[in-house]
Amino acid sequence: MPGIADILCDTHGEKEDWAELKALLKLSPDASVGYGIRAGAAIRVDPDGTVAPMGRIDRLVKQGDKVRRANP
């Protein structure tokens, strides 16, 4: 059963360099995307699944056994 929005995210984990989000992504399928939502920021998820940042967001992607930052 899906939640409110079908995304992987963590909030306020910037001081720990998104350790929890990285752990989640390592358990996820290859090419999974996760969003680190910094303090004071938010994201909007549109009905079509498009994610729009509202403030400073970190975007991380799983590639093989690595997780890398993929900010625009």
Side-chain angles (χ1 to χ4, degrees):
M1 180 169 126
I4 295 172
D6 191 18
I7 61 168
L8 304 175
C9 65
D10 187 13
T11 58
H12 315 299
E14 58 270 31
K15 289 183 182 177
E16 296 83 28
D17 194 32
W18 306 112
E20 292 176 357
L21 180 56
K22 288 177 180 178
L24 175 61
L25 285 168
K26 286 181 180 181
L27 297 171
S28 301
D30 198 37
S32 293
V33 176
Y35 299 93
I37 304 170
R38 293 175 170 266
I43 57 173
R44 184 186 75 225
V45 182
D46 293 332
D48 67 358
T50 303
V51 176
M54 301 174 73
R56 188 160 172 215
I57 304 296
D58 290 316
R59 186 173 177 266
L60 287 79
V61 178
K62 179 181 180 184
Q63 292 183 323
D65 61 347
K66 306 274 187 199
V67 175
R68 69 173 185 84
R69 206 171 291 272
N71 287 343

